[in-house]
Amino acid sequence: MEKKTLSLCPTCLKRIPATIVEEDGKIIIKKTCPEHGEFKDIYWGDANLYKKFEKYEFVGKISITNTKIKNGCPLDCGLCPNHKSTTILANIDITNRCNLNCPICFANANKSGKVYEPSFEEIKRMMENLRREIPPTPAIQFAGGEPTVRGDLPELIKLANEMGFLHIQLATNGIKLKNINYLKKLKEAGLSTIYLQFDGLSERPYLIARGKNLLPIKQKVIENCKKVGFDSVVLVPTLVRGVNDGEVGDIIRYAAENVNVIRGINFQPVSFTGRVDEKTLLEGRITIPDFIKLVEEQTGGDISEEDFYPVPSVAPISVLVEKLTGEKKPTLSAHQHCGTSTYVFVDEDGKLIPLTRFIDVEGFLELIKEKIEELGRSKMHDVRVLGEIAIKLPSLIDLNKAPKSVNIKKIIDLILSVLKSDYDALAELHYHMLMISCMHFMDPYNFDVRRVQRCCIHYATPDNRIIPFCSYNTLHRQEVEDKFSIPLEEWKKIHRIGGDDDRDDY
C-alpha cells in the first residue's frame, strides 16, 4: 500500500509531498523538506484497522465558499472550493484569555502577550456566516482560551439559540461552573452541552498538564449539573502517553456511574508542536487504533475493537433523510481516519453493553443504503420507505443480548423519527446511550491535506472565513490572532486590570 498526499514541513510549515505506506503492521507517513530534511511519523497504529475503516469513506460536497483557490490546500482556507464537507460543528474562540496557564495549551493570552477577543457584533457576524452555509451549520461551540471569562457569554448563548443553531456547546475547564448560580444562568440562556476538560481520575495528569490538581473542580461541576438538572456533559480528556493513557478505563467507568448527566467522552490524543525528535515522536504518538486497544484492555473487553466505527459510517443516514424530506441535511462526511466512536448502554447493574452487541449495525447500514438506491430508481413514497424500514428493524435486534433497562420499542420509534428529520428524537436517542469517541486532530508531523479537505469541524473567524480545525491550529491561528488582537498590557489598561494576581478574574 502506498498513497501520495501533501503535508507540511514541521519546521518551516511549507507544503511538501508526503507518502503514506504500510510498515510492520502500522501506517506510516514519510516526507522530505528540501531545507529541513526527512520526517517520519505513525499515521495509524494498526494497518488492518486502517483498511477496515477505508470501506466507510464518504466524500461530501459544499455549495457555498468564502475564498478562492490561489495557493492550494491548506493555504486557501476557508472554505475554498477544494473543501468537501460543510460545517457540522463550528468553533468560535470568543477569547484567548484564561483563568489557567496550562503547559500544553496552544491558545493563551498569557503566553502570546496579546488578547484576542472578538466583539459581540463580530461574533454575531461569524454566526451569520455559518448559518448562510447550505445546509446551515447546526452546532456551535464557544471556545477559547476559557470562554467563561467573558461577561457576555450568556448573551452569546441566547443569540445562538435565536439564530437557529440546534446545538450549543461550551468548551470549558469548569472553574467558573463551581458557581451553581452561574451554571443555572448558562442553562437558562439555552446551553445544550458542557464540553468539560477532564484528564483523569487521579491528580497526576492535572499536575503535569494543567499545573494544578483540578480533579475536585471537575467532580464539583458534575455534582452541580445534577443539582440544577443540566444533563448533557461530554468529558474531554487530552490523552498523553505515560501521563493518563492508563486512566482510559477509569474515565469510562466514571462516566457510566454518572450517566444521568454525562452523555459522552471525547478522547483527544495530544498534538505535537515545535521540534520533536523522531524517537520521541514514534514512542509518544497515540493514534486511534492505540486508543481503541486501550479501551479494550482497560474495560476487560466489555468494549472492543469491533464496537467502534469511523465518523462517516453514519453519512448514508443523512443521505436517506435528504431524499425523504427533499431538504439538504448536515452530513458527517469527515475523513474515515479522523475519528471513531461507539455507543454503549449502562445496564441496571452498571455493566457496559455496546449498541453493536445487540443491534446488527452493518445490517442497518445496508438497509439504509438499499433504500437510498430504491429511491434513486423509482418514485417510492416516503411513507412506504419508512414502513419497510420499520418492518425490517426488529429483525436486526437480538432481544436476548439487549440491556434489561432498554425499551427496544422506544429505540425503534426514535430511529424512525430521526429518519423523518426529527432533531428532538435524535437528541433523545443520544440520551439513552453513552458515546465513547476519539478525535485525532493533526499536527505538522502527521498532517494530511486529504483529511483537511474532508474536515467538518471548523473555526469561524472575524474576517468571514470558515477554516478547518487542523489547518487553523497548525497554520492560520497565529495569523488570525495577530490581525485581531491587542497587546495584553494595553487590554489590561483598558479594562483596569492589574498583575498576575488578577488572572482568575480575567
Side-chain angles (χ1 to χ4, degrees):
M1 188 208 85
E2 182 174 301
K3 293 185 178 182
K4 301 292 185 182
T5 187
L6 288 172
S7 186
L8 299 172
C9 169
T11 302
C12 64
L13 298 181
K14 289 180 181 176
R15 249 181 13 148
I16 57 174
T19 305
I20 296 171
V21 297
E22 181 178 345
E23 284 185 6
D24 301 322
K26 294 179 173 61
I27 302 299
I28 304 296
I29 183 168
K30 296 179 177 181
K31 53 195 175 182
T32 301
C33 173
E35 185 178 352
H36 298 104
E38 296 182 359
F39 298 91
K40 175 182 177 181
D41 192 10
I42 300 174
Y43 188 95
W44 254 55
D46 187 302
N48 290 330
L49 195 58
Y50 175 93
K51 294 168 187 174
K52 177 183 176 182
F53 275 34
E54 284 276 72
K55 71 176 184 176
Y56 297 98
E57 181 180 44
F58 185 96
V59 181
K61 59 183 178 180
I62 61 175
S63 303
I64 293 179
T65 59
N66 300 313
T67 56
K68 297 178 180 179
I69 297 173
K70 183 180 177 182
N71 299 308
C73 186
L75 305 175
D76 298 323
C77 299
L79 298 170
C80 87
N82 273 328
H83 205 74
K84 309 297 182 189
S85 299
T86 57
T87 310
I88 300 297
L89 173 64
N91 283 282
I92 295 185
D93 280 351
I94 62 175
T95 183
N96 71 333
R97 295 185 292 123
C98 190
N99 47 15
L100 284 175
N101 198 1
C102 301
I104 65 172
C105 183
F106 54 72
N108 192 323
N110 295 313
K111 290 181 180 178
S112 68
K114 297 187 286 278
V115 172
Y116 169 80
E117 192 160 291
S119 69
F120 189 93
E121 285 302 315
E122 285 176 319
I123 294 171
K124 181 181 179 182
R125 287 196 295 273
M126 287 187 246
M127 291 197 281
E128 289 171 342
N129 196 24
L130 292 164
R131 293 299 289 170
R132 278 194 291 268
E133 286 194 68
I134 300 175
T137 300
I140 190 168
Q141 176 169 270
F142 293 118
E146 172 51 46
T148 60
V149 302
R150 273 191 72 131
D152 59 359
L153 177 59
E155 288 71 33
L156 288 169
I157 292 170
K158 186 173 182 290
L159 177 62
N161 269 296
E162 292 169 351
M163 293 179 69
F165 287 96
L166 298 174
H167 193 87
I168 302 161
Q169 290 186 177
L170 171 67
T172 178
N173 58 33
I175 290 175
K176 282 199 72 171
L177 304 187
K178 292 186 300 179
N179 183 331
I180 198 165
N181 292 323
Y182 182 71
L183 176 59
K184 285 179 183 176
K185 193 173 183 179
L186 297 184
K187 181 188 176 189
E188 290 165 1
L191 183 65
S192 307
T193 295
I194 293 168
Y195 221 54
L196 182 64
Q197 180 192 90
F198 194 97
D199 292 327
L201 270 299
S202 71
E203 68 174 29
R204 183 170 180 268
Y206 297 100
L207 294 175
I208 293 172
R210 312 297 169 189
K212 60 174 71 174
N213 181 19
L214 300 176
L215 178 59
I217 291 174
K218 314 297 181 178
Q219 294 169 323
K220 177 67 173 175
V221 172
I222 298 302
E223 292 308 311
N224 280 351
C225 286
K226 290 178 182 178
K227 288 176 183 176
V228 304
F230 190 95
D231 56 2
S232 183
V233 177
V234 174
L235 305 181
V236 188
T238 300
L239 274 187
V240 183
R241 181 85 69 186
V243 175
N244 63 348
D245 55 332
E247 298 196 29
V248 169
D250 291 338
I251 294 170
I252 292 171
R253 281 184 284 273
Y254 177 79
E257 291 165 4
N258 296 279
V259 73
N260 55 333
V261 296
I262 297 175
R263 298 298 160 205
I265 316 165
N266 187 6
F267 291 89
Q268 298 178 0
V270 70
S271 296
F272 289 90
T273 58
R275 186 74 187 188
V276 180
D277 66 83
E278 188 174 292
K279 184 176 184 292
T280 301
L281 188 68
L282 296 177
E283 291 179 354
R285 177 70 76 188
I286 296 177
T287 67
I288 287 173
D290 301 318
F291 157 75
I292 292 174
K293 286 181 174 64
L294 291 172
V295 172
E296 185 166 359
E297 291 167 2
Q298 295 177 32
T299 62
D302 286 346
I303 306 169
S304 68
E305 180 182 303
E306 287 69 33
D307 299 314
F308 285 92
Y309 281 78
V311 171
S313 62
V314 298
I317 298 173
S318 297
V319 175
L320 179 62
V321 174
E322 277 189 11
K323 289 185 175 294
L324 292 174
T325 62
E327 299 175 358
K328 188 72 177 169
K329 298 296 177 184
T331 303
L332 284 165
S333 55
H335 193 277
Q336 61 274 13
H337 297 120
C338 281
T340 188
S341 66
T342 187
Y343 285 91
V344 301
F345 289 84
V346 182
D347 214 351
E348 295 168 344
D349 58 1
K351 183 175 174 58
L352 300 173
I353 304 177
L355 179 77
T356 54
R357 303 297 173 89
F358 63 95
I359 294 182
D360 180 359
V361 174
E362 292 291 342
F364 176 69
L365 293 175
E366 284 304 315
L367 175 62
I368 296 297
K369 292 173 185 175
E370 176 186 307
K371 295 307 169 188
I372 292 171
E373 291 177 5
E374 289 179 8
L375 283 167
R377 291 195 303 264
S378 64
K379 296 289 185 181
M380 286 182 69
H381 196 274
D382 58 347
V383 174
R384 180 182 159 192
V385 171
L386 290 169
E388 290 180 359
I389 292 174
I391 291 170
K392 182 75 173 177
L393 266 177
S395 68
L396 299 174
I397 299 172
D398 188 337
L399 293 174
N400 294 322
K401 296 180 180 179
K404 301 180 184 69
S405 58
V406 173
N407 184 330
I408 295 299
K409 183 180 183 305
K410 173 91 169 173
I411 297 298
I412 291 175
D413 289 344
L414 287 172
I415 291 172
L416 293 173
S417 295
V418 169
L419 296 178
K420 295 175 187 175
S421 192
D422 184 339
Y423 180 80
D424 290 336
L426 178 61
E428 187 176 348
L429 186 61
H430 278 263
Y431 272 55
H432 285 266
M433 303 176 283
L434 177 67
M435 180 188 72
I436 300 171
S437 63
C438 177
M439 291 299 295
H440 191 186
F441 297 114
M442 294 185 291
D443 53 50
Y445 289 90
N446 60 3
F447 198 91
D448 179 2
V449 159
R450 298 171 313 146
R451 280 183 56 186
V452 168
Q453 291 176 345
R454 304 255 298 282
C455 179
C456 56
I457 303 175
H458 302 150
Y459 277 90
T461 62
D463 53 5
N464 288 326
R465 287 189 291 166
I466 297 170
I467 302 176
F469 188 99
C470 293
S471 61
Y472 183 75
N473 284 320
T474 304
L475 284 175
H476 300 284
R477 174 182 289 279
Q478 190 69 49
E479 159 214 342
V480 171
E481 293 191 357
D482 284 349
K483 184 176 180 181
F484 295 99
S485 295
I486 63 172
L488 177 58
E489 292 307 314
E490 181 182 334
W491 187 91
K492 286 182 178 181
K493 287 177 183 176
I494 293 171
H495 295 270
R496 296 179 180 177
I497 288 175
D500 288 344
D501 289 342
D502 295 300
R503 181 175 297 151
D504 286 347
D505 298 322
Y506 72 82

